[in-house]
Amino acid sequence: MPYPKDHKAKTRERILEAARVLFNRHGYDRVTIDQIMAAANLTRGGFYAHFSSKEELFADAMIGFLEGRGARWREEEKVDPTACQLVMAQRMVDAYLSRRHLADRDGQCPLIAYATDVANAGPRVRDSYRHLVEAMTWLFEMNLEGDPTERRSQALSLTALCVGGMILARAIPETAIAEEVLDAAHAAATNIWSRPARVAPTGYPGRRQPHAEV
């Protein structure tokens, strides 16, 4: 009996999801192709039908988070990136800097899980990581108030607070200071959108078009 038409695509998704979870748990260097394929209930021989290298898999697993686990996470938290409502930015910060996210090692955002690995990786991996940074920043830009320049600056600040706060808390979990870091980052984020928005001058040029969405 022949395989269904979507067999190859579904197999690739199984590999990507298995890789994402293992990379989250152990880091890039401590995970082998054999381990990934075993977790996907496949043999190593099938790996190269989908990926040319472990690094390519790493890059694709990272970017696949947006439409995979990340999409499910946004749905659970009722975050609509395109709503153009401040409440969406607020929900994103609340969920991202939550104890629930801190405890969810398998489902955590790649921006937290892979920061150190990406710094030592090749251009394709760094490009995937940059894409996620831009996507998260764009989500905030779309849902903040004020003129384009201020929204861009605030969005970058929120991205840095969310990711940086979680990286610190992840490095020292189950400690008092980890709790303080999350609370401080959340308070700083709330202060960003609580400040009065500036009114853009007449004729202010439109902001550049976003490249991605979370």
Side-chain angles (χ1 to χ4, degrees):
M1 180 179 295
Y3 287 126
K5 291 182 179 180
D6 62 349
H7 172 75
K8 185 171 183 179
K10 287 185 175 180
T11 299
R12 187 176 189 277
E13 289 302 314
R14 282 168 59 191
I15 298 170
L16 285 169
E17 182 63 9
R20 185 190 64 77
V21 172
L22 288 174
F23 289 144
N24 276 8
R25 292 177 183 174
H26 309 296
Y28 177 78
D29 290 334
R30 295 184 179 181
V31 175
T32 67
I33 291 175
D34 285 339
Q35 290 171 324
I36 292 166
M37 296 302 282
N41 293 318
L42 298 165
T43 62
R44 181 188 174 96
F47 177 84
Y48 292 101
H50 302 276
F51 306 97
S52 63
S53 66
K54 179 182 164 186
E55 185 169 274
E56 180 186 347
L57 170 61
F58 185 43
D60 288 356
M62 193 185 314
I63 207 66
F65 177 84
L66 284 177
E67 300 305 324
R69 178 66 183 94
R72 297 195 302 274
W73 183 80
R74 293 191 302 274
E75 183 178 358
E76 291 165 5
E77 301 298 339
K78 296 180 172 56
V79 175
D80 178 359
T82 63
C84 298
Q85 298 175 4
L86 180 58
V87 68
M88 297 303 166
Q90 294 168 336
R91 288 176 183 173
M92 181 68 175
V93 169
D94 289 346
Y96 205 94
L97 291 171
S98 67
R99 274 64 178 173
R100 177 184 174 188
H101 190 195
L102 182 63
D104 185 11
R105 184 171 291 275
D106 287 354
Q108 68 184 317
C109 174
L111 293 177
I112 304 164
Y114 306 153
T116 301
D117 290 324
V118 168
N120 300 313
R124 180 164 182 170
V125 171
R126 292 197 300 272
D127 189 62
S128 292
Y129 194 86
R130 174 192 55 78
H131 184 83
L132 292 183
V133 172
E134 290 180 347
M136 186 171 181
T137 302
W138 178 79
L139 184 153
F140 285 128
E141 273 189 277
M142 286 290 291
N143 292 285
L144 291 170
E145 299 170 348
D147 69 58
T149 299
E150 182 142 3
R151 286 204 311 272
R152 179 66 176 175
S153 177
Q154 290 176 337
L156 287 166
S157 296
L158 288 171
T159 298
L161 282 167
C162 285
V163 176
M166 285 296 293
I167 287 174
L168 284 177
R170 169 69 65 205
I172 47 173
E174 301 178 6
T175 65
I177 194 169
E179 298 283 325
E180 290 181 285
V181 165
L182 290 183
D183 290 341
H186 191 279
T190 300
N191 185 58
I192 285 174
W193 61 64
S194 296
R195 294 196 300 263
R198 294 199 301 261
V199 178
T202 303
Y204 193 91
R207 68 182 175 93
R208 64 180 178 82
Q209 292 297 313
H211 296 294
E213 65 180 67
V214 169

